[in-house]
Amino acid sequence: MESNNHNGALPLTSLNHISVICRSVEKSLDFYQNVLGFLPVRRPRSFDFDGAWLFNYGIGIHLLKSNDPENLPKKREINPKDNHISFQCESMYLVEKRLKEMEIPHVKYRVEESGIYVDQLFFHDPDGFMIEICNCDNIPVIPLVIGEPMASVCKRVNFVTKQQQQQQPASCEFLPKAVCVSEEPQIHCA
């Protein structure tokens, strides 16, 4: 598959992993395995620092033991506008039920765009890194640049683009009606 290299952008293919600095590798391993369902995988033996690698959902999480765990920032209030990683889920109800059973503090939001609703749950890992669980697939990924091909970006976009092309009036080529107006839609799917 050829990468979508526009305006000299780097020829990337996908997200590989995120790295999270933690106070306790053991506590973070427990959280990422038992709350989010990641599985531990082998990391290079040549690393001379404490950490762990996990993998699931097509991405990796690399836990890195802090050199100064006492000076890591403490957990703050749950703020959806903070740095975070977001995971798609099949049932927001079951995720929220499970968070309550595990007594994990969380906040719930609902975003609406053109009659489409996205539910979001935000909570922290043991070190205060923000996690979002959402049903963001409800909102289509819409290119803001008219004529910009999105078919090779990802399967989700490819599906949405093909579906929308079949429904478009002749004046909008392949973009959905929401983009064919003077104002840009404000889609939030962090």
Side-chain angles (χ1 to χ4, degrees), residues 2-186:
E2 192 173 310
S3 65
N4 213 8
N5 190 358
H6 297 286
N7 300 322
L10 298 175
L12 308 179
T13 58
S14 67
L15 175 66
N16 181 270
H17 71 273
I18 64 163
S19 292
V20 179
I21 296 177
C22 52
R23 287 179 183 79
S24 164
V25 173
E26 292 76 24
K27 284 183 183 178
S28 292
L29 263 170
D30 179 66
F31 174 86
Y32 283 97
Q33 286 181 87
N34 297 315
V35 176
L36 296 180
F38 279 81
L39 302 171
V41 296
R42 184 184 306 183
R43 70 192 276 259
R45 290 177 234 181
S46 60
F47 285 156
D48 61 355
F49 55 92
D50 194 11
W53 284 11
L54 301 107
F55 187 84
N56 204 350
Y57 319 111
I59 64 165
I61 293 183
H62 294 184
L63 303 175
L64 308 171
K65 169 85 184 220
S66 171
N67 290 334
D68 190 6
E70 296 308 313
N71 284 325
L72 279 178
K74 303 293 181 207
K75 282 187 185 180
R76 302 174 302 275
E77 68 180 65
I78 299 172
N79 178 2
K81 295 179 185 174
D82 202 350
N83 293 327
H84 63 274
I85 185 168
S86 179
F87 296 96
Q88 180 72 27
C89 76
E90 292 182 9
S91 171
M92 293 297 290
Y93 170 79
L94 291 177
V95 169
E96 185 172 24
K97 180 180 180 221
R98 191 74 183 106
L99 288 173
K100 287 177 182 176
E101 290 169 358
M102 291 187 281
E103 299 180 354
I104 295 176
H106 60 279
V107 296
K108 185 177 181 177
Y109 286 92
R110 176 170 257 204
V111 177
E112 185 269 336
E113 174 61 33
S114 302
I116 299 172
Y117 294 91
V118 169
D119 294 305
Q120 302 166 296
L121 294 167
F122 293 90
F123 53 97
H124 288 129
D125 79 355
D127 295 293
F129 184 71
M130 185 76 62
I131 309 293
E132 173 189 3
I133 308 293
C134 71
N135 56 358
C136 291
D137 263 354
N138 291 348
I139 292 184
V141 176
I142 303 168
L144 294 178
V145 179
I146 294 177
E148 194 70 24
M150 293 292 289
S152 65
V153 176
C154 71
K155 291 177 184 173
R156 176 177 160 208
V157 173
N158 192 20
F159 170 75
V160 170
T161 303
K162 283 181 182 177
Q163 188 178 40
Q164 290 168 347
Q165 282 176 333
Q166 295 168 357
Q167 300 170 356
Q168 292 309 307
S171 64
C172 292
E173 294 183 317
F174 72 93
L175 294 177
K177 281 185 176 178
V179 176
C180 297
V181 294
S182 60
E183 293 180 21
E184 294 178 0
Q186 294 189 4

